Amino acid sequence: MTTDLRALLTDLRAQAAARVASTSAMLAELTHDRAGSNDDDEHDPEGVTLSSEWSRLTGLAEAAASELQQVDDALARMDAGTYGICANCGRPIPAARLAVRPFAEYCVACAEKLGR
């Protein structure tokens, strides 16, 4: 089962890293395209405003970076032999939870208690 979870985490890592790269590239392009421009995008009748697009892309980039960090942390716990053990209470994290959330750091009870 650990081998299957490692493969799943490796796939999730690749997907998150691709999203980080993609959103970073889109943010860089948005910045480059609007460099030196003094447009009043809030009144642009053409569609989405720059601030809306910037906020959307920033949110997507932060979410992808957060997931990437969680997956990296889970892989590190796997290498250290602590994967699947609740970081709060020390009890095993149920396999069903790990199947749904393979980078889970806490068992359900502790996650609820800690608000995670």
Side-chain angles (χ1 to χ4, degrees), residues 10 24-25 31-32 49 56 60 72 78 82 95 100-101 104-105:
T10 302
S24 294
T31 302
H32 177 267
T49 63
R56 183 185 77 81
L60 290 173
D72 283 345
M78 196 172 270
T82 59
V100 172
R101 189 173 172 85
E105 189 174 356

Side-chain angles (χ1 to χ4, degrees), residues 61-111:
E62 288 172 357
S66 175
E67 183 176 334
L68 181 59
Q69 185 61 57
Q70 290 177 62
V71 171
D72 283 345
D73 291 348
L75 287 167
R77 287 191 305 276
M78 196 172 270
D79 291 341
T82 59
Y83 180 80
I85 305 299
C86 179
N88 190 54
C89 70
R91 286 180 269 184
I93 298 172
R97 176 162 171 76
L98 292 173
V100 172
R101 189 173 172 85
F103 43 83
E105 189 174 356
Y106 303 101
C107 66
V108 174
C110 288

